[in-house]
Amino acid sequence: MYRIVKQSNGVIWCYSELGMGTTFRFYFPRVAEKPSRMTTPAMAMRVIPESGEPILLVEDDEALRVAISRFLEPVGYRVTTAASGAEALDVMSRSSYDLVISD
């Protein structure tokens, strides 16, 4: 999350109090452009084709790998995962993919 906020010229505010918990707030700069018509995840989901395109997901964080796979598979993508760049290269040597997602 930190990388996404910083790449967007945003700021993360964190407040923590012993026994009370921690609050994180993410601030992003305003943009002059109007948002596109696709403003909700449900609307975006309708335009994704369900023809089983193969995707290679390269992510070292296992929880994030699982979460992204669980998001993509129900809308029709065939997701293969790799935990490292080296593993991804090995997987790619055996199959081809329409899209590679990596941080």
Side-chain angles (χ1 to χ4, degrees):
M1 182 55 89
Y2 176 81
R3 185 179 305 165
I4 293 169
V5 172
K6 288 302 176 185
Q7 286 175 347
S8 303
N9 295 319
V11 176
I12 300 173
W13 178 84
C14 175
Y15 177 77
S16 184
E17 192 171 322
L18 188 61
M20 298 299 293
T22 303
T23 300
F24 288 92
R25 292 188 183 205
F26 302 91
Y27 295 94
F28 294 93
R30 288 184 187 224
V31 293
E33 306 94 43
K34 291 183 179 181
S36 70
R37 291 192 55 149
M38 274 192 260
T39 58
T40 66
M43 291 174 73
M45 296 284 280
R46 278 189 236 126
V47 299
I48 296 174
E50 295 188 21
S51 56
E53 289 90 348
I55 293 177
L56 176 59
L57 172 62
V58 186
E59 174 56 56
D60 58 347
D61 184 315
E62 182 180 6
L64 191 53
R65 245 188 352 259
V66 169
I68 294 171
S69 294
R70 286 184 181 167
F71 176 78
L72 292 170
E73 288 171 343
V75 293
Y77 291 105
R78 289 182 292 125
V79 180
T80 302
T81 61
S84 68
E87 184 180 347
L89 290 174
D90 182 52
V91 169
M92 289 175 65
S93 71
R94 296 184 307 247
S95 280
S96 64
Y97 296 91
D98 290 342
L99 176 67
V100 175
I101 300 173
S102 176
D103 64 350

